[in-house]
Amino acid sequence: MTAEVCLMNRISVVLAADSATTVTRWGDNGREERYFKGANKIFQLSNHHPIGLMIYDSADLLNVPWEVITKEFRKHIGNKSFNHVNDYAEEFFVFIDESSWLFPAAVQKEFLLDEARKAGLRPLM
């Protein structure tokens, strides 16, 4: 179980999260979960501006850890700044969408097929 906290006032935001996470994957024996006690859930999106990202649920995206994704994003934006948090989010999503070297088409296709297989094998409720 995880606990995330977000406090905000007119001049700042404070983020806090526990360090426990569960990684779920589909293996030979069906759904497999692994529990980790020391996962990072809060990441700095810029080395030059006070903007961060907090994750929950999955510690990775298509088997690429969020730590790697955010580190590469920091390199990508350099000292570029935005006026609104939504602008950082949009830039981040465009970065993910266009990072074929992080998420090759073959990997994306395999994950799509994997999810389809899992959906097909799930019992109907």
Side-chain angles (χ1 to χ4, degrees):
M1 183 167 173
T2 64
E4 288 82 18
V5 176
C6 177
L7 303 173
M8 184 170 62
N9 66 26
R10 291 182 303 145
I11 59 172
S12 66
V13 174
V14 176
L15 299 174
D18 68 357
S19 63
T21 190
T22 303
V23 176
T24 305
R25 69 181 202 96
W26 199 258
D28 294 335
N29 298 323
R31 181 183 170 122
E32 298 174 357
E33 291 186 345
R34 291 188 61 197
Y35 176 77
F36 297 93
K37 290 184 178 181
N40 291 329
K41 293 182 179 178
I42 300 173
F43 304 98
Q44 181 180 329
L45 279 183
S46 170
N47 285 328
H48 304 281
H49 305 284
I51 185 78
L53 165 83
M54 182 167 71
I55 64 163
Y56 70 97
D57 194 25
S58 182
D60 62 61
L61 178 62
L62 299 179
N63 283 339
V64 179
W66 284 109
E67 290 152 285
V68 171
I69 298 167
T70 55
K71 180 180 177 183
E72 293 302 320
F73 179 73
R74 283 194 300 265
K75 286 183 201 174
H76 168 75
I77 64 167
N79 63 358
K80 188 176 182 180
S81 68
F82 300 95
N83 291 326
H84 303 282
V85 172
N86 285 345
D87 297 333
Y88 280 96
E90 285 179 28
E91 183 79 10
F92 186 66
F93 293 132
V94 167
F95 169 78
I96 289 172
D97 191 45
E98 294 178 352
S99 295
S100 59
W101 57 277
L102 274 175
F103 310 105
V107 172
Q108 292 181 41
K109 182 179 178 180
E110 184 57 37
F111 267 83
L112 176 65
L113 293 173
D114 226 19
E115 290 301 314
R117 284 184 207 108
K118 284 189 266 186
L121 294 174
R122 255 186 228 128
L124 296 175
M125 303 251 172

